[in-house]
Structure formats: structure tokens, C-alpha cells
Amino acid sequence: MKKKNFTTTISVDQTPEEAFAAINNVRAWWSGEIEGDTDKLGAEFTYRYKDVHRSKQKITEFIPGKKVVWHVLESHLSFVKDKSEWNDTAIIFDISEKEGKTEVRFTHIGLVPQYECYGSCSNAWGMLINGNLCKVITTGKGQPDAFA
């Protein structure tokens, strides 16, 4: 049986380069505290949201206007039994041009329905990508806490 990774797609009028810049301005759209560089190949950064979620990502692909990949090195999700469900998963942003618009396809490889956090995590990613990230791409402005 094939595992179905969480994915969602947004379409915007901005250029692929503008979408790429917004994706890498992680502090503007991923609600929480971020430490470290989020905008260069090989960089590592930590994300924390209260005592609910903590993770460390490494940027493993960084192709301007095309693609960004984060490898989750370690994670702690306080609301599930297996606190490390995100360990060794990959967060991918694929950017392409389709019918005069820029499409950003977000996929969290390894975030699958068999995981306890799938419901909560896919809802959170949906709000962050379809809401916050889309607004950062289209307005250039940082967004408030999506979870408040």
C-alpha cells in the first residue's frame, strides 16, 4: 500500500522568485519561534511553538525560483505518543509556472495518515501554507500567529 504524504498547492500571481523569497522568510509565515538561518543551502534552524512542537530542520536543497527542501533532523511533538514522528521526514516546496501563475506545491514526505499527528499537523500546515504563506507571497508582509 502506498503511503499518502500530506500535500497542498497554492497558486499566486507573483513570480517564482517572489514565491521563493517568501518561502525562505520562514519567520514571516510559520507561527512560532525560529532560531538560525532559513535562507541558504546547508543551514539548520529550529522551530518551536510553545511547549507543543519543537523541530530542527536542515536545508538540503535550495534552487532559486524552483525548490526548497528541509530535512527534519529531530522533533518533539508533545500531543502524540511518538513524540518524534517528524524525525527523518522531508518538507518540500516545489515552485513552477502554470498558466501564467506561480504554483507552490507543498509536500511533507513522511507525514502520512497512519501517523497520530496527521490530522492536527495537516490542518496546521493547511492554515500555514494556504493562509500565512500565501499572504506573505502576495503582500510581502509577515503574518500573525495562525494558531492564536
Side-chain angles (χ1 to χ4, degrees):
M1 184 166 109
K2 191 174 179 214
K3 290 183 176 182
K4 184 157 176 45
N5 299 299
F6 175 75
T7 189
T8 188
T9 302
I10 58 175
S11 184
V12 296
D13 292 325
Q14 284 65 29
T15 66
E17 292 71 25
E18 288 170 310
F20 182 81
I23 290 164
N24 295 305
N25 183 6
V26 181
R27 288 169 181 84
W29 63 266
W30 197 2
S31 303
E33 295 174 45
I34 294 173
E35 290 179 26
D37 291 330
T38 62
D39 60 354
K40 61 184 175 211
L41 184 63
E44 294 182 6
F45 67 95
T46 57
Y47 167 81
R48 184 172 62 239
Y49 188 79
K50 301 183 180 175
D51 63 351
V52 176
H53 175 174
R54 187 178 73 254
S55 59
K56 183 177 187 177
Q57 290 70 223
K58 180 174 185 163
I59 301 170
T60 56
E61 284 188 62
F62 195 80
I63 305 165
K66 302 260 182 224
K67 188 173 193 173
V68 178
V69 178
W70 303 339
H71 178 76
V72 181
L73 300 171
E74 51 190 74
S75 65
H76 180 86
L77 307 171
S78 68
F79 55 94
V80 292
K81 254 186 235 148
D82 179 359
K83 311 283 184 221
S84 62
E85 278 188 351
W86 281 28
N87 285 14
D88 287 324
T89 62
I91 297 167
I92 302 171
F93 301 85
D94 281 304
I95 306 164
S96 59
E97 290 184 83
K98 286 222 168 103
E99 298 168 12
K101 291 191 175 267
T102 296
E103 186 175 280
V104 176
R105 188 175 75 236
F106 170 90
T107 307
H108 190 157
I109 302 286
L111 179 58
V112 293
Q114 295 86 342
Y115 277 9
E116 186 182 353
C117 94
Y118 184 83
S120 297
C121 294
S122 61
N123 284 340
W125 276 134
M127 285 191 306
L128 290 167
I129 303 303
N130 299 305
N132 280 14
L133 178 58
C134 189
K135 286 178 189 150
V136 172
I137 294 170
T138 57
T139 70
K141 295 186 170 94
Q143 297 300 303
D145 185 344
F147 310 124

